[in-house]
Amino acid sequence: MKTYQFWAKTSAALMVLTGIFHGLSLFVTTTPQNETERQMLDLITNYRMDAGAGFHPSYRDLFTALSSCFSLLCFLGGATIVYLIRKGTANDTMSGLLNINLVIFGICFAMMAYFTFLPPIVCTALIFVTLIVARVRLGSA
């Protein structure tokens, strides 16, 4: 637990697990609990706004695209860290990669904390914290 690689791999594993966990939510159907929720879900699913240039997405379409991008971001971050560790990448390069991930997942965590609910907040917080520990363990390269 003292090497940066342990914490970087832990962070990568959390990214992949978060991507899978979040990706599963794309296949869950929401059932309304009352009339207000039924109306809201009907509008989210069926109301199509004019977004210009011939595009007419529903809010559900936009939400699905954004949601899938979060899963893909997690997969990309995790895969990149694991790949570079396996290649024996130099510490200065890993330092740069961890810094980039810290910025991206730090902003992601802040957005999740402000706009979402507990599971994605916890997942992104764990990713962010393990990235911080990995970067501190790596030291200044």
Side-chain angles (χ1 to χ4, degrees):
M1 287 181 54
K2 291 187 177 188
T3 67
Y4 91 89
Q5 288 186 354
F6 171 81
W7 290 102
K9 287 177 184 177
T10 301
S11 179
L14 288 168
M15 288 178 198
V16 171
L17 289 173
T18 299
I20 291 169
F21 180 59
H22 197 268
L24 292 174
S25 71
L26 296 171
F27 302 104
V28 175
T29 56
T30 307
T31 53
Q33 301 299 315
N34 55 48
E35 182 58 27
T36 303
E37 288 182 11
R38 189 199 61 73
Q39 289 174 348
M40 183 182 69
L41 286 173
D42 182 57
L43 285 172
I44 288 171
T45 304
N46 298 316
Y47 178 73
R48 299 199 169 271
M49 63 187 145
D50 185 1
F55 293 100
H56 297 87
S58 69
Y59 278 99
R60 182 173 203 81
D61 296 338
L62 295 173
F63 186 78
T64 301
L66 187 61
S67 236
S68 61
C69 286
F70 176 62
S71 292
L72 292 171
L73 170 71
C74 289
F75 293 142
L76 176 64
T80 304
I81 288 172
V82 169
Y83 176 77
L84 290 178
I85 287 174
R86 285 189 179 169
K87 285 294 189 181
T89 303
N91 284 356
D92 62 334
T93 303
M94 285 305 296
S95 174
L97 175 71
L98 290 174
N99 289 339
I100 291 168
N101 276 288
L102 276 168
V103 170
I104 298 301
F105 282 97
I107 293 169
C108 186
F109 169 59
M111 299 296 284
M112 294 294 179
Y114 188 78
F115 290 113
T116 66
F117 50 99
L118 200 54
I121 293 170
V122 170
C123 289
T124 54
L126 289 171
I127 291 168
F128 187 56
V129 167
T130 55
L131 283 169
I132 290 171
V133 175
R135 182 61 184 90
V136 168
R137 291 286 180 202
L138 180 58
S140 59

